[in-house]
Structures are given as structure tokens and as C-alpha cells.
Amino acid sequence: MELRQLSYFVAVAEELHFGRAAERLHIVQSAVSQQIQRLERELGAELFDRSPRRVRLTGAGERLLPEARAVLAAAERARAVVAVPAGLRLGTSTGLGAHLDRVLAAFAARAPEVPVELVSLPAGERLARVAAGRLDAAFVRSAEPPAGVRVLPLWSDPLVAALPATHPLARRDEIDLADLAGLPLALAPRRVNPALADLVVGACHAAGFEPVPGPAGGTLHDTLATIGARPLWTVVYASHARVLATPRVAYVPFRAPGLALATGLAVPAADPSPHLEKLLLACGDHES
């Protein structure tokens, strides 16, 4: 006795019509008839009373039907127990800092059975992968979404100044952007992060000065190591600064209104992940 045979038997028993059962199962009618006949031979009993006008369950068929349904339900439960749960593919960037830790903790509390795969990529590639269905969602900042992607607003990310810990400005509780006019700015090239570069350079112009260009290559950790040894400055997301503690670099907030970029969650415009609602709730938990 095969599960397939029991599945065909239940379909015919519910439809009381071999043709409709075949349509429901997306197979040809002859295949249904053959498997039912094999099941009857194996059980040594006719399960259906067939006539040109109607199909009815025999007494044996009526007794088998609830048992067949129970076997099929048990088989489905067995599959579910061993099936690998569909995970969440989430695009990230290094600047999320404490945001990411808290969101992941909140999501794990809401969906402990869902594995999360973190993929760190440049913003443009994150958006491209969401559009192509290769990521379920991605954190982005001040990004213009491509076709097929929408960005759901999450929170505003304030920026702080990263300075040498020995610099006089490092002892202040907050600074004006104009206070940094004499120091070279170590900022990633605009092609790497257009939104951040435009925000910082534009704010410097609004404060009345042209930033002195400093070293612009390498990772953020390389930049911070250089700042610890030379009089330079850069900007770091406040949430990230909390996990970048180093005795040679000080993180000083800007005086209000300060600098900030909006963070959002890029998701497919159609067919979003079934885990999206819980992820958004986790982001809300983070903000509360």
C-alpha cells in the first residue's frame, strides 16, 4: 500500500467522480483508475461501486476513508517535522551596529524557528538582490529603490564625529560642524555611499567651509586606526559607534539639529517574505 494510492483513493471518495479526482490531482484519469485497482487488489476488497452514471463508496471504502485520511495527515506531519524551515535572507551593512543586534534578538523572540542568513553588501547590490528575489529584505539608508522594490521607513540614524582622543574637541559634550573646518575629512568616496557623502559634504558647505580631503581608502576600521594616529575626522553612525569603542578615538555628537540619515527596509513590491511582518515588528520593538 502506497501513500500515493491512498491519496488517489481519498480524492475519488471526496469527488465521487474519477474524472474530477484526476483534475484535482493534475494527472490523467487512467492513472487514478489503475492505482485504485491496485489498492483494491492488495486489500482484497472493492472500494467503489462503479456504474455508468455514478460512483459510490462500498462498505469497505467507507471504513477505509477515515483511516486513509489519518495516514495521509500523519505522513504530512512527519514531513513537517524534518523539513528545514524557510529562512530569512537579510541584507545588512557594517554601519548598523547596535541596531542589528537588537532587531535580530527581537526577531528571534518572535520567530525562534526561523534561521536568519545575514548578507553584507554595498547598498546598490543589496537593492539589486532584493529586486531579483535573492534577498528577502535589506536595510538601506536614504536609498532610491529600483523597479520591483519598495522601501519601508524604519528609523533615523544620527551621525557622530570620530576624532583623535587626544584632540581638544574630543573633550566636548557636543560640537558644531564648523569646529572641524581645520581638520582633514576621511570619508569614503561618493560612489561607495552617495547618500552619506552628499549629506556630510553638503552640511560642511552649509556650515561655511569646504572640507579638507583626507585619506579615503580602506575600511572603516582602517580609517579609525589612522584617526587614532593623525589629526583627522570622519562620521560614524551613533548606533555603530557604541560597538566600536577604542581608547584612541573619541565619538562626539553634533550640536542640534545634527546630521542623520533615514534607515529603511527594502522589500520586494510583490510576493514579500512570509516573515516580513515579524521582522517589521522586531524593528518596532527595537525602536520602542
Side-chain angles (χ1 to χ4, degrees), residues 126-173:
R126 266 176 275 153
L127 289 166
R129 289 201 183 190
V130 171
R134 296 169 61 195
L135 285 177
D136 298 306
F139 292 107
V140 293
R141 290 189 175 95
S142 299
E144 190 67 32
V149 176
R150 60 192 178 117
V151 176
L152 308 176
L154 293 179
W155 57 72
S156 179
D157 259 329
L159 294 157
V160 296
L163 304 162
T166 55
H167 196 280
L169 292 174
R171 294 191 291 270
R172 298 188 185 179
D173 294 330

Side-chain angles (χ1 to χ4, degrees), residues 5 119 147 240 255:
Q5 293 170 336
V119 182
H240 197 196
R255 188 168 287 112

Side-chain angles (χ1 to χ4, degrees), residues 144-285:
E144 190 67 32
V149 176
R150 60 192 178 117
V151 176
L152 308 176
L154 293 179
W155 57 72
S156 179
D157 259 329
L159 294 157
V160 296
L163 304 162
T166 55
H167 196 280
L169 292 174
R171 294 191 291 270
R172 298 188 185 179
D173 294 330
E174 56 183 16
I175 57 175
D176 290 313
L177 194 60
D179 296 334
L180 299 166
L183 286 177
L185 169 62
L187 194 64
R190 185 182 183 279
R191 68 177 183 278
V192 176
N193 194 334
L196 180 65
D198 291 347
L199 174 70
V200 175
V201 174
C204 291
H205 292 166
F209 70 98
E210 181 71 34
V212 179
T219 66
L220 175 60
H221 288 281
D222 293 338
T223 299
L224 293 177
T226 303
I227 288 174
R230 293 173 52 187
L232 302 166
W233 71 283
T234 191
V235 291
V236 177
Y237 295 106
S239 59
H240 197 196
R242 289 192 285 273
V243 299
L244 289 173
T246 169
R248 300 174 62 208
V249 177
Y251 303 104
V252 185
F254 292 105
R255 188 168 287 112
L259 300 178
L261 282 177
T263 295
L265 190 68
V267 299
D271 300 323
S273 164
H275 308 306
L276 177 59
E277 182 178 356
K278 289 183 179 178
L279 178 60
L280 288 173
L281 288 171
C283 292
D285 289 346

